[in-house]
Amino acid sequence: MKRIFFFGFLLPLLGILEVSGQVPDTDSLERVLPNTEGNTRLVLLNELATFLRETKQEQALDYALEAEKLAKAQGDKSEEAKAKENIGWIYYRQGQWQKSFDYSKESYELAMEVEDLQEAARVLNNMGALYYEQKNYPQAIAQFKNAYRLSEEAEDLYTTIRSLNNVAYNFTLIDELDSARFYAIKAIEANEAAGSPYLTAFSHRVIGDIYLKKAQLDSAEYVFELAWEMAVEQGITSFQASILHRLGNVYLTNGKIDKAKAALDRGLEISVENQYLDEQSKSHKYLAIYHEKVGDINEAFRHQKLYLQLYDSLTDQSTRDRLALMQGMFQDDLNQSELDLLLAQNENQAAKLAFNRRIIIIISVAAIVVLALMIWLYFLHRNVKRTNTKLLDHQNKIQDQNADLASKSMELEEINQTKNKLFSVIGHDLRGPVGQVKTIVDLLIKGELDQEEFEELLKNLNKDVDSVYFTLDNTLKWSMAQMEGFKINRTIVKLNAVVKSSIKLLDSMIKEKGIHVNNQLQGDEEIFADRDLIEVVIRNILSNAIKYSNLGDEILLSADYDSDSCVLCINDQGVGMSKEQLDKLLSDEYVFSGSQLGTKQEKGSGLGLQVCKEFTRLNGGELSIDSELGKGTKICIKLPAAFLVNN
């Protein structure tokens, strides 16, 4: 009786919250949760997950996962669909797009199975968001329109307005501004008609974007200010940050410099506090323009540099996540295609078996009727047998061809992965330095840098050029080593001469940090190797030692013979590495990921050490690393000694 009374109280409460569009007192709902069980607990878990998924994601995920398990146990497909939709949305917010796609797909299938149009519409919004992340805006718009149609039919006001806003925003991204304005206004009208403040800041922000793209700056300024007030009133910090950098941009364009500075500073503060990286990036971008306008070149350069760093990081992460999601969706389609093919093959085989049974029956009846017909059927059977043999041979050939295609597909995938990694290194390591060089050159051309400012930035410019040179040189050398037909030219090489050449090349980096390089080679050490490749190896190891050394440290170079090999060791007193870092660097797989920043924030890609490993192996040598975090690193390369050739 107690359970019946509680459930009767709970349903009206949840209904009122859904209609009003307000966030409930989740604390009171959580207090009654331990006293519930069965279907009452299931409904409450799903409602809590829905209410908390934008603010307390980990807690909401726990509720949704428990709801999914409980719904399966009770066989309640409608509530299971709601649980999976919540899980899919939380994974979307966390950037786990493949998991989001899988859960959303399962939720949609369950919702359609039980004809739950309201839940199906919400899931379609999730799917549209995933297509948006792929930058497939037409497909995203199609999903959001389907969500709008189903939510209208289900009379779900919240999802209707959410769908309209999403359609409007995606239309702005493809510059169909009239369509965007139509759907945004429709969302606002639906809000006003219901007397409920659903996502009004979002709708007005979209209209502000439209006015900004049409260069109607006064209208854009007014609408953005209105949207900002709504976002503050509704307490949505993500919308506050996204509106403020837009408002700052409009103020800058309208010549309202002081207002622009205030808006952008506030937007940056909110973005940093809540870790909204995309909004941070845009705030830095417009602050760089502001400082350029007021003549503060150093501050403009600082904000431009921060903008480029954040933009590069966001672009790389977005690209990797988008590729992973596209691969997952492609695999899902592939699995479905394979399933359809197997079903078709099974139906075809069943038809053949049925046909053979009919033939056998006809043959049996005919054998009884006349002997002559039996003889004719015998020859017919022999022909069928011959045909089956040919079919089996043909099937074996097809299987062999499939195996060959699979092997070639794997080879092609490995080549494509290597290409993608190489392009990722070039794009990531060159974009930032080249972008900063371009910024300085643009300032010089505009005459906005005097001699003193130019000399102050010259050191940064030199570092950027050195970084580009090292990246290009390592990439070129490594790429040549991967080419088919690449040959090495092994000769007798005086090791000390190569070491001295590398020290001389890196002299500016050594002097900048005040590092003492102690070369203890005797001068008579000789190895049998390709001089160009070994010079690249030594230069990269020495460059890393300098990069991770502190000011005034010492770098020790020594060499000794070990049986039929010569071992060169480079020992620094720098930051060192953990065991996990060592295991990653020494693994057989190539790792093209951004390396740890140096002691003076020097950047790198991790390609240099991979080049060292590859070139050492090509010369018949071995590379070993001994390191301890905070105490330095010792890297040794073991190469064939020259006296082996003489002997």
Side-chain angles (χ1 to χ4, degrees):
M1 184 68 184
K2 181 180 179 181
R3 288 179 53 200
I4 295 173
F5 171 77
F6 174 76
F7 191 52
F9 158 76
L10 179 64
L11 286 179
L13 172 63
L14 296 179
I16 291 169
L17 295 172
E18 182 69 20
V19 171
S20 67
Q22 304 299 319
V23 176
D25 181 5
T26 54
D27 291 338
S28 62
L29 295 180
E30 289 176 322
R31 280 197 296 271
V32 300
L33 181 63
N35 300 321
T36 61
E37 58 184 17
N39 187 256
T40 305
R41 183 177 181 83
L42 175 58
V43 172
L44 186 55
L45 284 168
N46 271 330
E47 293 299 332
L48 280 169
T50 301
F51 295 140
L52 295 174
R53 69 186 193 180
E54 293 291 352
T55 55
K56 299 179 180 179
Q57 290 183 352
E58 293 301 325
Q59 190 175 355
L61 182 59
D62 290 339
Y63 287 143
L65 290 172
E66 184 183 347
E68 180 192 24
K69 183 178 179 180
L70 191 57
K72 286 182 177 178
Q74 295 181 7
D76 191 333
K77 293 184 178 180
S78 180
E79 292 298 325
E80 184 182 352
K82 292 178 181 177
K84 288 181 181 292
E85 189 269 335
N86 279 324
I87 296 170
W89 184 254
I90 294 169
Y91 280 139
Y92 168 76
R93 283 300 196 199
Q94 293 178 346
Q96 301 184 54
W97 294 344
Q98 182 56 49
K99 286 185 177 180
S100 175
F101 173 76
D102 293 336
Y103 273 97
S104 298
K105 180 174 178 291
E106 292 174 12
S107 174
Y108 181 75
E109 291 172 352
L110 286 170
M112 295 305 293
E113 182 179 344
V114 297
E115 298 182 355
D116 188 344
L117 299 184
Q118 182 183 39
E119 192 59 36
R122 295 189 177 191
V123 176
L124 285 174
N125 268 290
N126 294 5
M127 300 295 283
L130 290 170
Y131 281 111
Y132 159 79
E133 295 295 346
Q134 291 185 53
K135 298 186 183 299
N136 188 348
Y137 303 127
Q139 188 63 36
I141 290 170
Q143 295 292 333
F144 292 136
K145 282 186 175 180
N146 287 334
Y148 166 63
R149 177 179 55 80
L150 291 180
S151 61
E152 280 268 270
E153 190 174 342
E155 298 181 351
D156 180 0
L157 178 63
Y158 172 79
T159 308
T160 297
I161 296 171
R162 179 186 175 194
S163 304
L164 288 169
N165 281 330
N166 286 330
V167 172
Y169 179 63
N170 278 266
F171 269 127
T172 65
L173 298 177
I174 57 176
D175 290 329
E176 293 191 18
L177 304 182
D178 291 337
S179 297
R181 187 174 185 275
F182 171 79
Y183 282 98
I185 291 176
K186 200 167 184 178
I188 293 173
E189 290 173 348
N191 256 322
E192 292 174 350
S196 175
Y198 281 129
L199 303 177
T200 49
F202 191 174
S203 304
H204 285 82
R205 195 194 74 183
V206 171
I207 294 176
D209 287 338
I210 295 169
Y211 282 131
L212 183 58
K213 288 196 173 189
K214 290 184 174 181
Q216 298 177 14
L217 300 180
D218 291 336
S219 298
E221 179 180 323
Y222 170 76
V223 174
F224 282 143
E225 287 175 344
L226 185 61
W228 157 251
E229 293 173 0
M230 293 175 178
V232 171
E233 181 182 348
Q234 295 166 358
I236 309 174
T237 56
S238 60
F239 276 114
Q240 292 175 29
S242 68
I243 293 168
L244 281 170
H245 72 72
R246 288 173 164 86
L247 192 54
N249 180 28
V250 174
Y251 283 149
L252 281 174
T253 310
N254 260 344
K256 299 179 180 180
I257 301 297
D258 294 335
K259 282 191 172 184
K261 178 69 163 55
L264 293 171
D265 283 342
R266 178 58 180 151
L268 183 59
E269 179 185 345
I270 294 173
S271 300
V272 171
E273 182 180 341
N274 295 277
Q275 296 183 344
Y276 301 145
L277 298 183
D278 187 53
E279 314 307 330
Q280 285 184 48
S281 170
K282 291 182 173 65
S283 296
H284 282 302
K285 175 183 177 181
Y286 295 126
L287 279 169
I289 297 173
Y290 163 81
H291 285 291
E292 182 183 2
K293 284 181 177 289
V294 299
D296 191 348
I297 301 302
N298 288 333
E299 199 62 8
F301 179 78
R302 184 178 73 84
H303 281 289
Q304 179 70 8
K305 184 176 181 181
L306 290 171
Y307 160 68
L308 290 173
Q309 289 174 350
L310 284 169
Y311 178 80
D312 287 349
S313 176
L314 288 168
T315 300
D316 290 348
Q317 182 64 37
S318 177
T319 301
R320 287 193 296 270
D321 292 343
R322 191 178 302 115
L323 288 172
L325 177 61
M326 291 176 67
Q327 181 182 6
M329 289 184 169
F330 171 77
Q331 187 63 43
D332 186 73
D333 292 339
L334 180 61
N335 291 339
Q336 186 62 44
S337 299
E338 290 175 349
L339 179 62
D340 293 340
L341 178 60
L342 287 173
L343 289 173
Q345 289 177 341
N346 287 337
E347 291 175 358
N348 186 40
Q349 188 67 24
K352 287 183 178 179
L353 290 172
F355 173 76
N356 286 339
R357 290 193 191 98
R358 288 195 294 271
I359 293 297
I360 292 172
I361 292 172
I362 294 172
I363 292 173
S364 300
V365 173
I368 297 172
V369 176
V370 59
L371 180 60
L373 187 58
M374 288 180 62
I375 297 173
W376 179 77
L377 290 175
Y378 165 76
F379 286 107
L380 178 63
H381 176 72
R382 189 174 66 177
N383 290 336
V384 170
K385 189 174 181 179
R386 186 183 296 116
T387 302
N388 286 338
T389 301
K390 290 180 180 179
L391 287 174
L392 287 173
D393 291 339
H394 185 61
Q395 184 178 2
N396 290 334
K397 289 180 181 179
I398 292 174
Q399 290 176 350
D400 292 339
Q401 290 173 351
N402 288 340
D404 184 55
L405 286 172
S407 175
K408 290 180 178 178
S409 177
M410 290 180 64
E411 292 177 5
L412 183 60
E413 184 177 355
E414 291 176 1
I415 293 171
N416 194 44
Q417 288 177 354
T418 301
K419 179 205 71 175
N420 289 340
K421 291 175 182 177
L422 184 58
F423 283 167
S424 176
V425 168
I426 294 173
H428 182 275
D429 281 6
L430 299 189
R431 187 186 296 114
V434 172
Q436 293 185 36
V437 171
K438 182 181 184 301
T439 300
I440 295 172
V441 171
D442 288 342
L443 291 173
L444 280 172
I445 292 173
K446 293 177 181 178
E448 295 179 2
L449 281 180
D450 57 27
Q451 183 64 26
E452 183 180 348
E453 291 172 331
F454 175 71
E455 289 176 358
E456 184 180 347
L457 297 175
L458 194 57
K459 291 183 179 180
N460 290 332
L461 183 62
N462 184 53
K463 288 180 183 178
D464 290 339
V465 172
D466 286 344
S467 174
V468 171
Y469 171 77
F470 265 88
T471 299
L472 286 176
D473 188 56
N474 283 336
T475 305
L476 178 61
K477 296 288 187 182
W478 179 84
S479 300
M480 291 175 62
Q482 304 304 306
M483 293 173 62
E484 212 171 307
F486 174 77
K487 295 181 180 179
I488 63 173
N489 181 24
R490 298 171 71 181
T491 59
I492 296 175
V493 178
K494 289 189 176 295
L495 191 56
N496 195 31
V498 179
V499 169
K500 287 182 177 179
S501 174
S502 297
I503 293 173
K504 183 177 180 181
L505 182 63
L506 300 171
D507 185 63
S508 63
M509 293 173 61
I510 295 169
K511 288 180 178 178
E512 183 180 0
K513 286 192 172 182
I515 294 171
H516 174 61
V517 179
N518 186 358
N519 181 8
Q520 293 188 353
L521 273 71
Q522 301 300 316
D524 58 352
E525 297 90 349
E526 292 183 337
I527 58 173
F528 183 63
D530 186 313
R531 179 188 173 96
D532 290 340
L533 299 189
I534 295 305
E535 188 170 8
V536 171
V537 172
I538 294 173
R539 186 173 71 240
N540 272 283
I541 295 174
L542 185 56
S543 173
N544 274 351
I546 297 168
K547 176 180 176 182
Y548 296 113
S549 290
N550 298 302
L551 297 178
D553 280 354
E554 181 184 58
I555 297 175
L556 177 65
L557 292 91
S558 61
D560 201 358
Y561 286 102
D562 178 16
S563 183
D564 56 356
S565 301
C566 181
V567 181
L568 171 66
C569 293
I570 300 176
N571 194 349
D572 65 66
Q573 301 171 336
V575 297
M577 290 180 284
S578 65
K579 185 178 183 304
E580 291 75 13
Q581 288 175 301
L582 280 176
D583 292 341
K584 183 178 179 182
L585 289 173
L586 294 174
S587 66
D588 292 334
E589 298 181 358
Y590 281 72
V591 182
F592 298 145
S593 60
S595 67
Q596 181 181 345
L597 294 177
T599 57
K600 290 194 71 176
Q601 303 303 304
E602 302 97 325
K603 294 199 298 184
S605 64
L607 178 61
L609 191 55
Q610 303 303 331
V611 170
C612 294
K613 289 163 57 179
E614 179 70 5
F615 286 1
T616 302
R617 183 189 64 79
L618 288 174
N619 280 278
E622 298 175 0
L623 184 144
S624 62
I625 304 176
D626 184 19
S627 182
E628 187 174 353
L629 198 61
K631 293 187 178 180
T633 302
K634 181 180 181 180
I635 300 181
C636 296
I637 51 173
K638 186 177 182 180
L639 296 164
F643 61 75
L644 288 175
V645 181
N646 296 331
N647 292 339

